[in-house]
Amino acid sequence: MMGRKRHSSLRSSKEDMEAVRHSPHTPQTESAAYRLAFADEEFMTSEDLRGVRFQLEYLKIEFRLREANVNSTVVLFGGARIPEPGKPAWAAKTDEAKKNLEANSIYYEEARRFAQLASLTSKATDFTDYVVATGGGPGVMEAGNRGAADVGAPSIGYNIVLPHEQAPNTYVTPQFSFNFHYFATRKIHFLMRAKVVAIFPGGFGTMDEFFEALTLIQTGRMDRIPLLLFGKKFWSRVLNLEALAEEGTISPDDFKLFSFVDTADEAWEIVRQTYNLPRIEHPA
């Protein structure tokens, strides 16, 4: 149930919606004009109500996370196409892509392990802090939610409606399996509770989220948090950030805003030292 139930002597919206369902069928009651505004799908999805839908999409997730006392998250971004080790690269379109995707499956395991470390830390807070959050889909996202499930921890899936695929992976905690229409509200929820952002090899979406977080930190719109780029070899090949510094469009000091890492243990040690967290037992 959303929010806390309070006493009210007034009829509830649910009661009136039920009453309307039992109205006699007449030309008047069948008219779109007669529908209760909040139960009128055509009205609620109209262009003029876009701002209201933004607010509703933000509030629904916010209320549920507050109810569960989720204060902070560890966010994992990464490619949906990266397979679990030993599994075929289902998304590969060429032999070279297949070879590379399957080689990058090592990051599925590192994401899973990183999520285990985060979730074991979260357990000590009764799962109020350092809760794993992903985009809810396959690949690296699945690995993150799976790592949390491995150690009996809840995890969040911020799915979004796409023209194809993108159903929640089976490791997302059902009560935290969210779905978005707007990328904008999804981005807000990804970052507003983030104490750590881990970026694994991926495509446009992964780079979009990396640069979003990097820009917010660079401009002081977001607190400085561990921003971890998994796979120095991968990212050094696909992003020439040094060229930006040479051209003067970023400062050399901007390289201090993120860290290259290759393993979950290396990455979590950065997190642990940043927040002065206790050491945890090695996950199996």
Side-chain angles (χ1 to χ4, degrees), residues 197-218:
V197 173
I199 313 286
F200 293 81
F204 290 154
T206 302
M207 287 191 279
D208 174 48
E209 300 295 357
F210 168 55
F211 281 114
E212 184 92 46
L214 190 58
T215 301
L216 289 171
I217 293 171
Q218 182 204 46

Side-chain angles (χ1 to χ4, degrees), residues 133-189:
T134 79
V140 166
M141 294 174 280
E142 175 187 284
N145 297 115
R146 185 176 181 178
D150 287 339
V151 297
S155 66
I156 300 167
Y158 292 126
N159 280 80
I160 190 162
V161 179
L162 297 175
H164 49 80
E165 40 141 296
Q166 190 64 351
N169 69 66
T170 58
Y171 300 102
V172 175
T173 301
Q175 77 180 92
F176 297 141
S177 182
F178 302 122
N179 202 14
F180 290 83
H181 171 67
Y182 295 108
F183 270 98
T185 44
R186 184 178 185 238
K187 285 172 179 287
I188 290 170
H189 278 292

Side-chain angles (χ1 to χ4, degrees), residues 34-227:
Y34 187 75
R35 297 173 196 153
L36 290 168
F38 49 80
D40 185 342
E41 184 175 314
E42 183 179 357
F43 174 66
M44 289 298 295
T45 58
S46 66
E47 184 174 350
D48 288 336
L49 261 71
R50 180 174 289 124
V52 174
R53 291 196 301 276
F54 264 80
Q55 185 177 17
L56 291 174
E57 193 161 85
Y58 167 77
L59 285 174
K60 178 180 178 179
I61 283 77
E62 180 63 13
F63 285 165
R64 289 190 178 273
L65 292 176
R66 283 187 191 177
E67 278 185 332
N69 295 315
V70 175
N71 298 319
S72 68
T73 56
V74 173
V75 179
L76 282 73
F77 295 122
R81 305 180 187 196
I82 291 178
E84 180 183 354
K87 299 283 183 72
W90 55 270
K93 304 298 183 185
T94 66
D95 289 341
E96 183 178 15
K98 181 176 185 297
K99 180 188 74 173
N100 289 332
L101 282 170
E102 291 175 359
N104 282 325
S105 68
I106 59 171
Y107 294 110
Y108 183 104
E109 280 303 304
E110 293 302 332
R112 183 177 177 181
R113 181 175 181 73
F114 185 73
Q116 291 172 357
L117 292 164
S119 297
L120 288 169
T121 302
S122 181
K123 187 175 183 179
T125 74
D126 199 23
F127 304 121
T128 59
D129 286 295
Y130 304 101
V131 178
V132 166
T134 79
V140 166
M141 294 174 280
E142 175 187 284
N145 297 115
R146 185 176 181 178
D150 287 339
V151 297
S155 66
I156 300 167
Y158 292 126
N159 280 80
I160 190 162
V161 179
L162 297 175
H164 49 80
E165 40 141 296
Q166 190 64 351
N169 69 66
T170 58
Y171 300 102
V172 175
T173 301
Q175 77 180 92
F176 297 141
S177 182
F178 302 122
N179 202 14
F180 290 83
H181 171 67
Y182 295 108
F183 270 98
T185 44
R186 184 178 185 238
K187 285 172 179 287
I188 290 170
H189 278 292
F190 264 132
L191 295 181
M192 68 181 296
R193 283 178 169 82
K195 292 196 82 170
V196 182
V197 173
I199 313 286
F200 293 81
F204 290 154
T206 302
M207 287 191 279
D208 174 48
E209 300 295 357
F210 168 55
F211 281 114
E212 184 92 46
L214 190 58
T215 301
L216 289 171
I217 293 171
Q218 182 204 46
T219 56
R221 301 295 299 180
M222 179 177 171
D223 289 343
R224 179 85 178 267
I225 64 172
L227 186 56

Side-chain angles (χ1 to χ4, degrees), residues 3-9:
R4 294 178 181 172
K5 192 170 183 178
R6 296 177 297 181
H7 168 74
S8 175
S9 58

